Structures are given as structure tokens and as C-alpha cells.
Amino acid sequence: MPGLHNSAPRNEGADALAMQEIRWPSLFWAMVVFGLNSMTQPAGSVCGAPADVSFMLRSSPIICIIDTFVLFHRLAYYYWSSDTIKAAYARLLRLRYQPEDDGVEDMQTVLAELQKSQPVRIVVFILTLAQMVKLYAFGGVVWTKVMASMYLLSFVVIELLVVWPQAQVLQSMTRREKEMQTSGATSLPYSSIALGVAFMLWFLAVACKDIFGQPHHTLPQWLGIVVSIAGGLISTLGFAFSVYKSEAYHDNVRAALLLVPVLGVPWAYYGLGSRLAGYTLQSLQIQAITAALAVVWVGFALMFSSATTRTVRASGQDKARKMTEQTAAWVFLCLHVLTCLLFYLFSYDPAGTSKPSWTEFLG
């Protein structure tokens, strides 16, 4: 009868090939486990940001790899400006683990206790080890391996250089190290988070395009839609909170002016997507253009966020500032998980992938 799958002759070769292909849940859960392994690591201050948001920030492979390079850079800088490598190493550990100098007592959150729990970290690492063996045995998933390697490299470097020795070294430390700039458009935390957001927005736009089955030239259009909904909503709420916490309305003039391109530029991207239909551009060219457009919008958003948070910081309400940082960090984490899920669910193509049969025993 028409419509019944068993009415067609069975193709044994096609069935065998389909069994060898890698289904999307295998890759999605592998990325989740790799990410959790890094997130549960007590890495201290990540990219100069407060330590209490390190769990959320390390959900991004971009943040992880940037933080790894920053670690080596600071160690080299301290060695150049110190007498010995031991002194440079001590300065690096102070920078990563010293409490914030903002007059607000550090709180032991659930996440902080989770990062300090050795049993939890051992379990997560064992899960990661199994996924590591599976993922690197898979064929045809180069970019997934690249992103997983960002997590893994960061984890190994920070574990060897920072986490293991910090408990012994910090016990004898009484000095404080000069903190890095933690806010502003030119600060390391803001700029590294901006790169992580641009990376995420590109994948989210690709996933949304594929959900609705649109052609590749509409990718900038979908970037505009994604940024308008997610970025516009978050920016508007952030501006409203800044106005609420400010002492005078004129403190928000700069933020209000920057809100215009933050909300308006995505609509220009939407119009650009329809105009690209008349050009014979390859998919890779469209993807590169969209990535550049994501960076441009994030540049405006970076200046806007710097202006809005400056108002909260100037008010002297450190608890409100910490609440803002925590909320933004959780949004950052949730959007990364959602993007990863949607991309593997709707944009991942298993054609050309393969897996050894023995990987089935690893779950």
C-alpha cells in the first residue's frame, strides 16, 4: 500500500551505510560533556572576569581557548617583569584566585562548591574520557573535533598550571596582585565575551535558516532576525535596568544613542539577505559575509553594554552589579546550549561521517 515503509525493497547496502553514520545526539551530548568538564573546573578568574561567573563563561569554546592564551601571556609577562619563574608563577596564581577588591564579601555559591567537589569532577572527567575516545575515533566530524579540542586544551593547561598547584601555593600568599581591567569595551572580559557571542550568533542563524529550509543566501537575513529577537530583547532590558539604577537620566544619553544601531543594524542585515539573491555567491562566501556582519553588530553591542554597565558601576551598588553580571552570564550559558542543540538537530548532516563499531560500547 502507498505510504508504508515496508512496501519498498530493502537496500542492505544503504542500511549498512546508515548504521555507520553518526547521528546528531552522539555529537551533541559529546559537546555537552566536554563543556561540563571545563565548566566544573575551579579555574578562578576567567579572562579577567569575576570568578563567580567562570562556570557560565566556560560554556563557550571561544572563551576557553582565549583564556588559555591569556594564561600563557600573563605568565610570560610576569616572568619578564619578575626575577624568577617561581615569582612569576606566584603572581599568576594570585591573579587567578585572589578575591575581588570591591568591598563585597565573596559568597560561597552552589556552583563554587560544585567546582570544588573532587567526586563530581572525577565523575565528569570519566564521562569526558569516554566521549573523548569516541569523538576522536569518529570520521567526518572535523569541526566538532576542533571545538571539543578547544575545551580539552583549556582544561589540560589550566589543570596542570593552575588548579593542581594553587592549593599549596596560595596558602603562603598574603600579597595581592593588580587586577586586570574588568569592564569597558576595551577590557579583556568584555571583548572575549563579545567574540564568544559573535561565534554563537553565526551558528544560531545557520540553525534557524535550516529549520525553515531557506536557501543559503538568506543567512544574513536570518542573522538579522536572530539578533533582532535575542539581542534586541536583552539590550532593551539592560537599558531599562540601567535607567532604573541611574541617579540622573542624562547618565544614559550615551547608552541611548548606542541603542539605536544595536536595534537598527539587524534590520539592515534582513534587507541585505534578500538582495544577495541576485548574486552568484558560494555558500562559503555567504557564511564569511555573515560572520563579518555578526562581528560588526557585536562591536556596537560591546560599546552599548559598556555604557549601560558603567551607569550601574557609577551608582556604587555593587550588589546590583553582581546581579547584572550573574544574569548576563546565565543568559550567555543558556543561549550556547540552545544554539548547540538547534544546530545539531537541524543543520548537522551525517552524510560522509563514520564510526567504528567498537564505539557503541562506550555509550
Side-chain angles (χ1 to χ4, degrees), residues 39 48 53 56 60 66 77 79 93 98 109 123 137 142 151 170 186 188 209 277-278 288 294 297 302 330 341:
M39 293 161 66
V53 296
M56 293 79 91
S60 167
I66 291 176
Y77 171 76
Y79 178 62
L93 292 177
Q98 67 189 6
T109 63
V123 170
V142 176
Y151 287 121
L170 289 181
T186 59
L188 178 61
K209 173 185 72 67
W297 181 83
L302 180 61
W330 277 111
L341 175 61

Side-chain angles (χ1 to χ4, degrees), residues 195-235:
L195 289 176
V197 170
F199 181 81
M200 175 195 63
L201 288 175
W202 185 90
F203 280 95
L204 188 56
V206 171
C208 290
K209 173 185 72 67
D210 293 334
I211 288 173
F212 292 93
Q214 297 297 301
H216 69 273
H217 72 264
T218 63
L219 186 55
Q221 196 169 7
W222 282 101
L223 176 67
I225 295 173
V226 166
V227 171
S228 294
I229 296 174
L233 177 61
I234 295 171
S235 299

Side-chain angles (χ1 to χ4, degrees), residues 296-318:
V296 170
W297 181 83
V298 164
F300 286 111
L302 180 61
M303 292 185 289
F304 168 76
S305 61
S306 175
T308 54
T309 55
R310 182 185 297 116
T311 302
V312 178
R313 288 176 177 273
S315 67
Q317 302 180 46
D318 290 315

Side-chain angles (χ1 to χ4, degrees), residues 46-108:
V46 174
C47 290
D52 55 4
V53 296
S54 66
F55 179 89
M56 293 79 91
L57 292 186
R58 285 173 66 80
S59 63
S60 167
I62 298 299
I63 294 292
C64 286
I65 201 65
I66 291 176
D67 187 50
T68 302
F69 286 115
V70 168
L71 187 69
F72 284 120
H73 172 266
R74 299 304 297 186
L75 182 60
Y77 171 76
Y78 288 147
Y79 178 62
W80 178 77
S81 58
S82 303
D83 296 331
T84 63
I85 186 63
K86 183 178 180 180
Y89 195 60
R91 294 181 64 184
L92 177 68
L93 292 177
R94 281 200 298 268
L95 180 69
R96 299 287 298 201
Y97 291 103
Q98 67 189 6
E100 290 185 70
D101 189 17
D102 57 5
V104 179
E105 184 179 355
D106 293 337
M107 295 182 295
Q108 294 298 318

